[in-house]
Amino acid sequence: MQNMIQKDSIYAEPLAQVQDFCFDADVVEVFPDMIQRSVPGYQTIIQTIGKLTQRYQQASSNYYDLGCSLGAASLAMRRQLSDSSSKIIAVDNSPAMVERCRMHLHAFRSDVPLEVQLGDIRDLAIDNAAMVVSNFTLQFLPKADRDALVTRIYQGLKPGGIFILSEKVVFDDAVTHDLLIDLHHDFKRANGYSELEISQKRTALENVMRPDTLAQHQQRFAAAGFASATVWFQCFNFCSMVAIKQGAADANV
Ligand SMILES: Nc1ncnc2c1ncn2[C@@H]1O[C@H](C[S@+](CC[C@H]([NH3+])C(=O)[O-])CC(=O)[O-])[C@@H](O)[C@H]1O
Ligand SMILES: O=C(O)C(=O)Cc1ccccc1
């Protein structure tokens, strides 16, 4: 039924063989429930993307949402913008996501143009950007492709522009790593996922989601040219970072 949030039960039954996780029509159907029950702080992060938009918006600029899924970050940015000479560009390479994202976003009215593109963020031209958001997307790219993308993001930002990067992270220290994974699994259990769901999803993600350490993110920001970058949110092994390109921003609208 339209507008009804479907409960995620994708991994509820035992599977003979757990396939690699992919963002197909079944996942799209349950995605809001899945992300809400799986990612600690998801709502706080989306709200803060809105607050950062208030603070860092610049006139006549582009706002990118890389791996937009159903467009939650795009909507959070658009709610804060009123400048019709600015533009939001939301990109995802899952046809099922893009189709549902377009339906969802067209239900909200705004003067700010918003384009939902089907495509790979590695091929996207990024320019004149006040903000680039990657909310839990970089972790799905092959590791070898991440440096080049972050460098292109830096180059596509205007002075005073920001890159918001949310990611699941891993820890070099095994004791810390295991503790934070256990706490995340407790969070999922408290949100109604069974042991079977937790373990089958973990297997499904193993080959497709490869998180970096916080040190690797910091190092990548610096190599791309960002002089200022910090973690602004962390809950267990989930975090969100903001990297700021130096220079004087254009005036707000
Ligand atoms: N190379 C790629 N190019 C384009 N899209 C990609 C690529 N690889 C993966 N994706 C897309 O990145 C999204 C990651 S989900 C983002 C949540 C959203 N940001 C949110 O704020 O709700 C995160 C998660 O589910 O953990 C999926 O929609 C993929 O199709
Ligand atoms: O569920 C998990 O364990 C996660 O790491 C988060 C997640 C959320 C939605 C799709 C893929 C991964």
Side-chain angles (χ1 to χ4, degrees), residues 115-203:
E115 201 179 288
V116 185
Q117 297 182 7
L118 174 63
D120 194 307
I121 55 174
R122 288 168 292 181
D123 304 328
L124 178 70
I126 300 173
D127 60 19
N128 194 40
M131 288 175 65
V132 178
V133 175
S134 170
N135 204 34
F136 300 106
T137 303
L138 193 76
Q139 60 198 11
F140 289 103
L141 291 193
K143 287 207 178 203
D145 295 342
R146 297 179 190 180
D147 288 359
L149 177 62
V150 174
T151 298
R152 283 199 301 105
I153 290 169
Y154 179 81
Q155 288 165 354
L157 281 169
K158 299 165 73 153
I162 63 166
F163 173 34
I164 301 168
L165 177 64
S166 309
E167 293 270 292
K168 194 174 192 174
V169 290
V170 290
F171 296 83
D172 286 329
D173 173 58
V175 175
T176 306
H177 182 79
D178 292 348
L179 169 63
L180 297 186
I181 291 204
D182 280 353
L183 289 171
H184 176 231
H185 289 172
D186 284 346
F187 169 88
K188 291 183 82 162
R189 244 172 251 126
N191 285 332
Y193 285 117
S194 67
E195 296 309 316
L196 180 69
E197 286 176 293
I198 292 170
S199 92
Q200 292 193 136
K201 172 109 180 261
R202 190 181 190 176
T203 304

Side-chain angles (χ1 to χ4, degrees), residues 21 31 34 38-39 140 168 184 188 201 205 209 238:
F21 187 86
F31 190 72
M34 173 186 278
S38 306
V39 176
F140 289 103
K168 194 174 192 174
H184 176 231
K188 291 183 82 162
K201 172 109 180 261
L205 285 171
M209 186 207 259
F238 288 78

